[in-house]
Amino acid sequence: MRRKTGIVVGACAALVLAGVAGAVTARRGSDVPVGTWHSAPGVPHTQVAAQGPLPVASPSRVLKKPGAVRTPDVKADKSPSSEPSATANPGRVLEKAAAPGRQRVGELLHVSNLIGYLAGPPRQTFEYPGASYVKVHFSRMAMLPGDYLTVSSPDRTESYRYDPGTEDKWAMSITGDTAVVEVHRAIDPLGLRSALEGLGVRVDSVARGFSRTEQARVPEETPVRPGRTGREESVCGPDTSTDAVCYQSADPVAYVKSKAIARLLINGTELCTGWRVGPKNRMLTNNHCLTTSEEAYDTEVWFNYQCAKCGGYDVFKPTKVWGDQVLSTDHLLDYTLFSVDGFASVEKFGYLTLDTARPAKGTELYVPQHPAGEPTRIAGAKGEKAGNCAVDNADYTGYAAHSDVSYFCDTAGGSSGSPVLSRKTNRVVALHHFGGCPNSGVRGDLLAAKVKSFL
């Protein structure tokens, strides 16, 4: 049962999305470009539209508390609407600093909008020009049996349904700068249902994703190991990381392995990286990113958030699933092992394997990651010598003595939780968690021993 609550600028600048848990079914992602990220706030809106049919949604699933069920996608009315827009009253900013180690990728806005029944219009648009995503929060969802709510993109290519019985929850984010919230009522020829007072849906806050320009101004939340100042750069020399798709021909193995990583969006505005470990429904990230099942329920896990072309601006529509149960976590080794809801839809992206041996000094590495919220990038020169992306010290101190492996692979805020792979074995030799040049990750052999019973 699921609970009800809900930059390093690369060659491919992309849409930044966010989301958290809810009673919802989404259309899944696909290898079809869906749009580009806005270059600055207030620029003309670029419509996000998938080219070709979208895959069918996964079956319904009961959530963590009674009354909230994932249901099939909604084919809503596509007729033109004249509903009120939130643009004229964007709301005040709710200041909220990102948790240590998570990269901030959006801001929270306070609003107060009642939708549906006598107290408000049945449909309302929330538009924030230049935003990379829009995500609404419901403080109240009082609806009659048979009625339901949808949160959609203007062209309905992205749509999520919510049934009666849920409240105080975040909806799934909508790609782009506009979200349409609509109450759908059961047939009521006499108008008796509409006359009932005390019913309606209240939106009390909205998460607005930063544009590319705004993201570039956000300080990087890159943790450093105890004893360092935090002023050290995590891009060690010239940035040699590259869009993952650039590896497709030059290093196809690294490209395929990069498919197993995911972009974690936590609390609607914060970012880390995670990845599938082993063939079962298991994900790894840092303990400083995610600690409890409650946090996992409020986290979207996005696979296939990658550039469509090397050096291009189009991005694939990601496949999004919800975080589920935290199975094991540890502060000193800075890891969290968790599962996801909707595992069948992400199983196709493959998985990575932890190396049970500590790597030797000089071992060449590569690091697939989501630095500063970008689509997947890989640190380590493609198909060539790895340059500075190699083991510098195989006996490095992290939160504990001898716990880490150090390297000079380029990372940034948002890279926390990324896998560090050996080019020789293509196994994970470290779980990245600290910047500071050298950067470092928790040893894969220590993690393998800790989580083997869950894999």
Side-chain angles (χ1 to χ4, degrees):
M1 299 292 291
R2 186 178 183 84
R3 69 186 286 272
K4 64 184 176 183
T5 62
I7 269 187
V8 176
V9 178
C12 176
L15 294 162
V16 177
L17 314 178
V20 199
V24 53
T25 294
R27 297 192 179 202
R28 299 295 179 184
S30 60
D31 283 355
V32 177
V34 297
T36 58
W37 120 340
H38 300 291
S39 59
V43 299
H45 176 51
T46 299
Q47 182 64 56
V48 177
Q51 301 171 8
L54 293 173
V56 177
S58 62
S60 302
R61 181 181 184 274
V62 177
L63 304 188
K64 288 297 169 187
K65 286 191 178 180
V69 181
R70 291 196 176 180
T71 54
D73 199 6
V74 179
K75 295 183 179 179
D77 174 25
K78 296 186 179 181
S79 59
S81 67
S82 58
E83 71 275 9
S85 171
T87 305
N89 182 22
R92 62 182 176 83
V93 177
L94 301 173
E95 293 295 339
K96 179 179 181 296
R102 299 179 191 166
Q103 183 65 31
R104 189 179 175 200
V105 292
E107 66 179 356
L108 293 178
L109 304 173
H110 172 74
V111 298
S112 183
N113 296 76
L114 196 62
I115 303 167
Y117 304 95
L118 292 178
R123 179 188 298 177
Q124 190 161 80
T125 296
F126 293 82
E127 182 176 7
Y128 301 90
S132 53
Y133 65 83
V134 177
K135 179 180 178 62
V136 299
H137 180 270
F138 301 110
S139 61
R140 178 185 178 210
M141 296 178 69
M143 296 182 288
L144 292 170
D147 296 350
Y148 61 89
L149 177 75
T150 58
V151 182
S152 308
S153 58
D155 61 3
R156 311 289 183 178
T157 58
E158 190 173 11
S159 185
Y160 308 93
R161 171 172 169 162
Y162 302 83
D163 287 323
T166 57
E167 60 182 14
D168 190 22
K169 68 180 287 81
W170 281 104
M172 184 80 80
S173 61
I174 297 297
T175 303
D177 62 10
T178 305
V180 180
V181 180
E182 183 174 6
V183 172
H184 302 260
R185 301 174 188 171
I187 297 175
D188 183 20
L190 299 179
L192 299 178
R193 296 163 61 90
S194 299
L196 294 174
E197 295 184 8
L199 296 177
V201 173
R202 182 173 293 281
V203 177
D204 64 346
S205 57
V206 176
R208 181 192 70 86
F210 291 142
S211 69
R212 177 186 178 188
T213 302
E214 291 173 307
Q215 191 65 59
R217 296 196 293 262
V218 177
E220 290 186 9
E221 295 291 338
T222 304
V224 294
R225 73 187 183 99
R228 297 185 71 85
T229 66
R231 294 191 297 269
E232 299 86 352
E233 295 294 332
S234 294
V235 173
C236 307
D239 185 6
T240 60
S241 66
T242 312
D243 299 331
V245 70
C246 301
Y247 286 66
Q248 196 166 11
S249 298
D251 194 342
V253 173
Y255 175 70
V256 170
K257 294 294 184 182
S258 75
K259 291 282 189 177
I261 78 161
R263 191 174 188 264
L264 307 183
L265 287 148
I266 308 162
N267 294 331
T269 60
E270 299 170 352
L271 172 72
C272 279
T273 299
W275 46 282
R276 277 194 62 205
V277 55
K280 297 180 181 180
N281 181 3
R282 302 289 184 264
M283 297 284 301
L284 263 179
T285 191
N286 288 144
N287 171 272
H288 73 250
C289 292
L290 193 64
T291 305
T292 67
S293 293
E294 182 177 28
E295 290 178 318
Y297 299 149
D298 283 348
T299 297
E300 283 187 14
V301 182
W302 295 6
F303 284 86
N304 202 37
Y305 186 59
Q306 300 201 1
C307 293
K309 294 181 180 179
C310 181
Y313 286 82
D314 290 337
V315 291
F316 291 139
K317 183 181 180 67
T319 298
K320 301 189 290 187
V321 293
W322 300 110
D324 199 20
Q325 295 289 329
V326 166
L327 305 171
S328 179
T329 189
D330 185 274
H331 171 69
L332 284 180
L333 294 183
D334 200 12
Y335 81 87
T336 292
L337 184 75
F338 67 102
S339 62
V340 297
D341 180 22
F343 174 65
S345 66
V346 300
E347 197 170 4
K348 62 186 176 184
F349 295 114
Y351 61 89
L352 304 178
T353 303
L354 288 163
D355 203 325
T356 57
R358 188 191 305 188
K361 180 179 176 64
T363 299
E364 293 187 338
L365 308 169
Y366 62 100
V367 186
Q369 57 190 287
H370 287 287
E374 290 196 26
T376 307
R377 294 177 67 82
I378 301 177
K382 54 183 184 297
E384 305 166 359
K385 292 284 186 179
N388 65 346
C389 195
V391 174
D392 179 63
N393 186 348
D395 188 22
Y396 197 68
T397 295
Y399 281 128
H402 318 295
S403 64
D404 281 23
V405 171
S406 71
Y407 40 80
F408 287 88
C409 309
D410 297 320
T411 61
S415 299
S416 288
S418 301
V420 180
L421 291 93
S422 162
R423 283 193 170 275
K424 181 179 180 180
T425 66
N426 290 298
R427 290 174 176 260
V428 178
V429 297
L431 176 67
H432 174 72
H433 68 153
F434 287 153
C437 293
N439 306 326
S440 72
V442 180
R443 287 166 39 192
D445 58 312
L446 297 180
L447 295 176
K450 288 283 288 187
V451 303
K452 64 180 179 180
S453 63
F454 296 97
L455 303 181

